[in-house]
Coordinates of all heavy atoms in Angstrom, one line a residue:
R163 N 12.3 -20.9 8.9 CA 13.2 -21.9 8.7 C 14.5 -21.4 8.6 O 14.8 -20.4 7.8 CB 12.8 -22.8 7.6 CG 11.5 -23.4 7.6 CD 11.5 -24.5 6.4 NE 10.0 -24.9 6.2 CZ 9.4 -24.6 5.1 NH1 9.9 -23.9 4.1 NH2 8.2 -25.1 5.0
D164 N 15.5 -21.8 9.4 CA 16.9 -21.4 9.4 C 16.9 -19.8 9.5 O 16.4 -19.3 10.6 CB 17.6 -21.8 8.2 CG 17.6 -23.4 7.9 OD1 17.6 -24.1 9.1 OD2 17.6 -23.9 6.9
D165 N 17.4 -19.2 8.5 CA 17.5 -17.8 8.6 C 16.5 -17.0 7.8 O 16.5 -15.8 7.7 CB 18.9 -17.3 8.0 CG 19.3 -15.8 8.4 OD1 19.1 -15.5 9.6 OD2 19.7 -15.0 7.6
A166 N 15.3 -17.7 7.4 CA 14.3 -17.0 6.7 C 13.0 -17.1 7.4 O 12.7 -18.1 8.0 CB 14.2 -17.9 5.4
V167 N 12.3 -16.0 7.3 CA 10.9 -15.9 7.8 C 10.0 -15.4 6.8 O 10.3 -14.5 5.9 CB 10.9 -14.9 9.0 CG1 9.4 -14.7 9.5 CG2 11.8 -15.3 10.1
G168 N 8.9 -16.1 6.6 CA 7.9 -15.7 5.6 C 6.5 -15.9 5.9 O 6.1 -16.4 6.9
L169 N 5.6 -15.3 5.0 CA 4.1 -15.6 5.2 C 3.7 -16.5 4.2 O 4.1 -16.4 3.0 CB 3.4 -14.2 4.9 CG 3.6 -13.1 6.1 CD1 2.8 -11.9 5.7 CD2 3.1 -13.6 7.4
S170 N 2.8 -17.5 4.6 CA 2.3 -18.4 3.5 C 1.4 -17.8 2.5 O 0.5 -17.0 2.9 CB 1.5 -19.5 4.2 OG 0.8 -20.3 3.5
S171 N 1.7 -18.1 1.4 CA 0.8 -17.5 0.2 C -0.6 -18.1 0.1 O -1.5 -17.6 -0.4 CB 1.5 -17.7 -1.1 OG 1.8 -19.1 -1.4
T172 N -0.8 -19.3 0.7 CA -2.1 -19.9 0.6 C -2.9 -19.8 1.9 O -4.1 -20.0 1.9 CB -1.9 -21.5 0.4 OG1 -1.0 -22.0 1.5 CG2 -1.2 -21.7 -0.9
A173 N -2.3 -19.4 3.0 CA -3.0 -19.2 4.3 C -3.5 -17.8 4.6 O -4.4 -17.6 5.4 CB -2.2 -19.8 5.5
I174 N -2.9 -16.8 4.0 CA -3.3 -15.5 4.3 C -3.2 -14.7 3.0 O -2.3 -14.8 2.1 CB -2.2 -14.9 5.3 CG1 -2.7 -13.5 5.8 CG2 -0.9 -14.8 4.7 CD1 -1.9 -12.9 6.9
A175 N -4.2 -13.8 2.8 CA -4.4 -12.9 1.6 C -4.1 -11.5 2.2 O -4.6 -11.1 3.3 CB -5.7 -13.0 1.0
V176 N -3.4 -10.7 1.5 CA -3.0 -9.4 1.9 C -3.4 -8.3 0.8 O -3.3 -8.6 -0.4 CB -1.5 -9.3 2.0 CG1 -1.1 -7.9 2.6 CG2 -0.9 -10.3 2.9
D177 N -4.1 -7.3 1.4 CA -4.6 -6.3 0.5 C -3.6 -5.6 -0.4 O -3.8 -5.2 -1.6 CB -5.4 -5.3 1.1 CG -4.8 -4.5 2.1 OD1 -3.5 -4.8 2.5 OD2 -5.2 -3.5 2.7
V178 N -2.4 -5.5 0.0 CA -1.3 -5.0 -0.8 C -0.9 -5.7 -2.0 O -0.9 -5.2 -3.1 CB -0.1 -4.7 0.1 CG1 1.1 -4.0 -0.7 CG2 -0.3 -3.8 1.3
A179 N -0.9 -7.0 -1.8 CA -0.7 -7.9 -2.9 C -1.9 -7.9 -3.9 O -1.6 -7.8 -5.2 CB -0.4 -9.4 -2.5
E180 N -3.0 -7.9 -3.4 CA -4.3 -7.8 -4.4 C -4.2 -6.4 -5.0 O -4.7 -6.3 -6.4 CB -5.5 -8.0 -3.5 CG -6.8 -8.0 -4.3 CD -6.9 -9.1 -5.2 OE1 -6.1 -10.0 -5.3 OE2 -7.9 -9.2 -6.0
F181 N -3.9 -5.4 -4.4 CA -3.8 -4.0 -5.0 C -2.9 -4.1 -6.2 O -3.2 -3.5 -7.3 CB -3.4 -3.0 -4.1 CG -3.0 -1.7 -4.6 CD1 -4.0 -0.7 -4.9 CD2 -1.6 -1.3 -4.9 CE1 -3.7 0.4 -5.5 CE2 -1.3 -0.1 -5.5 CZ -2.3 0.8 -5.8
H182 N -1.6 -4.6 -6.0 CA -0.6 -4.7 -7.1 C -1.1 -5.5 -8.2 O -0.9 -5.2 -9.5 CB 0.6 -5.3 -6.6 CG 1.5 -4.3 -5.8 ND1 1.8 -3.0 -6.0 CD2 2.0 -4.5 -4.5 CE1 2.4 -2.4 -5.1 NE2 2.6 -3.3 -4.1
R183 N -1.9 -6.6 -8.0 CA -2.3 -7.4 -9.0 C -3.4 -6.7 -9.8 O -3.3 -6.9 -11.1 CB -2.8 -8.8 -8.4 CG -3.3 -9.7 -9.6 CD -4.1 -11.0 -8.8 NE -5.4 -10.6 -8.3 CZ -6.5 -10.5 -9.1 NH1 -6.4 -10.6 -10.4 NH2 -7.7 -10.2 -8.5
L184 N -4.3 -6.1 -9.2 CA -5.4 -5.4 -9.9 C -4.9 -4.2 -10.7 O -5.2 -3.9 -11.7 CB -6.5 -4.9 -8.9 CG -7.2 -6.1 -8.3 CD1 -8.1 -5.5 -7.1 CD2 -8.2 -6.8 -9.3
A185 N -3.9 -3.5 -10.0 CA -3.4 -2.2 -10.6 C -2.6 -2.5 -11.8 O -2.5 -1.5 -12.6 CB -2.5 -1.4 -9.6
A186 N -2.1 -3.6 -12.1 CA -1.2 -4.0 -13.2 C -2.2 -4.3 -14.5 O -1.8 -4.4 -15.6 CB -0.5 -5.3 -12.9
S187 N -3.5 -4.4 -14.2 CA -4.5 -4.7 -15.3 C -4.8 -3.6 -16.1 O -4.6 -2.3 -15.7 CB -5.7 -5.3 -14.6 OG -6.7 -5.4 -15.6
E188 N -5.3 -3.7 -17.4 CA -5.8 -2.7 -18.2 C -7.4 -2.6 -18.2 O -8.0 -1.8 -18.8 CB -5.3 -3.0 -19.7 CG -3.8 -2.7 -19.8 CD -3.3 -1.4 -19.5 OE1 -4.0 -0.4 -19.8 OE2 -2.2 -1.3 -18.9
D189 N -7.9 -3.5 -17.4 CA -9.3 -3.7 -17.3 C -9.9 -2.5 -16.3 O -9.4 -2.4 -15.2 CB -9.8 -5.0 -16.8 CG -11.4 -5.1 -16.7 OD1 -12.0 -5.0 -17.7 OD2 -11.8 -5.2 -15.5
V190 N -10.9 -1.8 -16.7 CA -11.2 -0.6 -15.9 C -11.9 -1.1 -14.6 O -11.9 -0.5 -13.5 CB -12.3 0.3 -16.7 CG1 -13.6 -0.5 -17.0 CG2 -12.6 1.6 -16.0
T191 N -12.7 -2.3 -14.6 CA -13.2 -2.8 -13.4 C -12.2 -3.2 -12.3 O -12.3 -2.9 -11.2 CB -14.1 -4.1 -13.7 OG1 -15.1 -3.7 -14.6 CG2 -14.7 -4.6 -12.5
A192 N -11.0 -3.7 -12.9 CA -9.9 -4.1 -12.0 C -9.2 -2.9 -11.4 O -8.9 -2.8 -10.1 CB -9.0 -5.0 -12.7
L193 N -9.2 -1.8 -12.2 CA -8.6 -0.6 -11.7 C -9.5 0.1 -10.6 O -9.0 0.6 -9.6 CB -8.4 0.4 -12.8 CG -7.4 0.0 -13.9 CD1 -7.3 1.0 -15.0 CD2 -6.2 -0.3 -13.3
R194 N -10.8 0.0 -10.8 CA -11.7 0.5 -9.8 C -11.5 -0.3 -8.5 O -11.6 0.3 -7.4 CB -13.1 0.3 -10.3 CG -13.5 1.3 -11.4 CD -14.9 1.0 -12.0 NE -15.3 1.8 -13.1 CZ -16.1 1.5 -14.0 NH1 -16.7 0.3 -14.0 NH2 -16.4 2.3 -15.0
Q195 N -11.4 -1.6 -8.7 CA -11.3 -2.4 -7.4 C -10.0 -2.1 -6.7 O -10.1 -2.0 -5.4 CB -11.4 -3.9 -7.8 CG -12.7 -4.4 -8.3 CD -12.6 -5.8 -8.8 OE1 -11.6 -6.3 -9.1 NE2 -13.9 -6.4 -9.0
A196 N -8.9 -1.9 -7.5 CA -7.6 -1.5 -6.8 C -7.8 -0.2 -6.1 O -7.3 -0.1 -5.1 CB -6.6 -1.4 -7.9
A197 N -8.5 0.8 -6.7 CA -8.7 2.1 -6.1 C -9.4 2.0 -4.8 O -9.1 2.7 -3.8 CB -9.3 3.0 -7.0
Q198 N -10.4 1.0 -4.8 CA -11.2 0.9 -3.5 C -10.4 0.3 -2.4 O -10.6 0.6 -1.2 CB -12.4 0.0 -3.9 CG -13.4 0.7 -4.8 CD -14.6 -0.2 -5.2 OE1 -14.4 -1.4 -4.9 NE2 -15.5 0.3 -5.8
L199 N -9.4 -0.5 -2.7 CA -8.6 -1.1 -1.7 C -7.7 -0.2 -0.9 O -7.3 -0.4 0.3 CB -7.6 -2.1 -2.3 CG -8.3 -3.5 -2.7 CD1 -7.2 -4.4 -3.5 CD2 -8.8 -4.2 -1.6
Y200 N -7.3 1.0 -1.5 CA -6.6 1.9 -0.8 C -7.4 2.8 0.1 O -7.8 3.8 -0.3 CB -5.8 2.7 -2.0 CG -4.6 3.6 -1.3 CD1 -3.4 3.1 -1.0 CD2 -4.8 4.9 -1.0 CE1 -2.4 3.9 -0.4 CE2 -3.9 5.7 -0.3 CZ -2.6 5.2 -0.2 OH -1.6 6.0 0.4

């Protein structure tokens, strides 16, 4: 729209975003999942 281009947050999931979310956790299971994404 106008001068902006973006990706819909509800229509597409991106592994980079999921990596950041999991890596911010202190839970060891989440950290393992983040490591697997890379």
Side-chain angles (χ1 to χ4, degrees):
R163 302 191 191 109
D164 300 332
D165 196 42
V167 178
L169 292 176
S170 167
S171 62
T172 56
I174 187 168
V176 183
D177 60 350
V178 180
E180 183 67 1
F181 169 82
H182 287 309
R183 186 185 71 81
L184 292 168
S187 174
E188 294 299 324
D189 178 67
V190 68
T191 301
L193 298 181
R194 289 169 183 160
Q195 292 172 345
Q198 291 173 356
L199 283 175
Y200 192 81

